[in-house]
């Protein structure tokens, strides 16, 4: 598999929402970007708050931009706040360095990233990972 297809993105999205239902989470937004950072698919459950789509996108975008899951970005922000702040300034504020942005891997090939927002960052990440794994791919949360 060389590309993230729409069918695969739909599997990831559906499975992420199933996981959210199992965990009885708050309404989520799931955003899926391909390896180029181009939007492949995004959806919001009923009742999400206003900025959730932007936050989900920022988690996925940050993971792709830095080549690591957003959990690693979160850790790096704690250790090197000036560096992450500088990178985010260069990215015009598009990075959201908290858990919930997960790289989609097929073996060692990067296919894209999933960003989830709406509940706690740990729960957001769990849904992203579940979606990726349900599609038969490897999740790199950082």
């Amino acid at each position: 598999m060389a590309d993230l297809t729409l069918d695969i993105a739909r599997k990831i999205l559906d499975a992420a929402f199933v996981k959210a239902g199992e965990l009885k989470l708050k309404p989520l937004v799931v955003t899926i970007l391909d390896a180029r950072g181009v939007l492949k698919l995004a959806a919001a459950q009923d009742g999400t708050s206003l900025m959730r789509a932007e936050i989900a996108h920022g988690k996925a975008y940050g993971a792709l931009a830095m080549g690591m899951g957003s959990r690693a970005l979160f850790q790096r922000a704690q250790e090197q706040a000036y560096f992450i702040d500088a990178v985010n300034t260069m990215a015009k504020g598009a990075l959201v360095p908290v858990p919930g942005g997960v790289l989609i891997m097929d073996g060692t090939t990067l296919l894209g990233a999933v960003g989830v927002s709406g509940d706690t960052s740990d729960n957001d990440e769990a849904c992203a990972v579940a979606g990726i794994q349900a599609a038969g791919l490897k999740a790199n949360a950082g």
Side-chain angles (χ1 to χ4, degrees):
M1 177 183 326
D3 293 317
L4 180 64
T5 65
L6 184 57
D7 285 340
I8 292 169
R10 284 183 178 141
K11 287 178 188 174
I12 293 169
L13 177 84
D14 291 343
F17 283 151
V18 166
K19 183 68 169 180
E22 290 170 359
L23 297 175
K24 298 183 184 350
L25 303 184
K26 295 176 184 173
L28 301 181
V29 172
V30 176
T31 298
I32 302 170
L33 306 177
D34 68 15
R36 304 169 299 150
V38 174
L39 179 66
K40 195 68 172 182
L41 191 61
Q45 292 180 306
D46 296 339
T48 57
S49 58
L50 183 61
M51 292 290 297
R52 291 299 173 191
E54 289 85 350
I55 295 167
H57 187 277
K59 289 179 180 185
Y61 179 82
L64 279 176
M66 296 298 292
M68 61 183 77
S70 62
R71 181 168 293 278
L73 291 178
F74 176 72
Q75 184 64 37
R76 190 141 185 207
Q78 292 176 325
E79 296 168 1
Q80 298 177 315
Y82 291 117
F83 174 75
I84 294 297
D85 185 54
V87 170
N88 207 7
T89 298
M90 289 187 290
K92 298 178 175 59
L95 275 71
V96 178
V98 298
V102 181
L103 296 174
I104 306 165
M105 306 295 298
D106 183 15
T108 58
T109 302
L110 175 67
L111 299 182
V114 178
V116 179
S117 181
D119 203 272
T120 68
S121 293
D122 289 339
N123 285 338
D124 294 345
E125 178 182 274
C127 292
V129 169
I132 293 166
Q133 290 176 342
L137 299 167
K138 183 180 174 193
N140 179 347

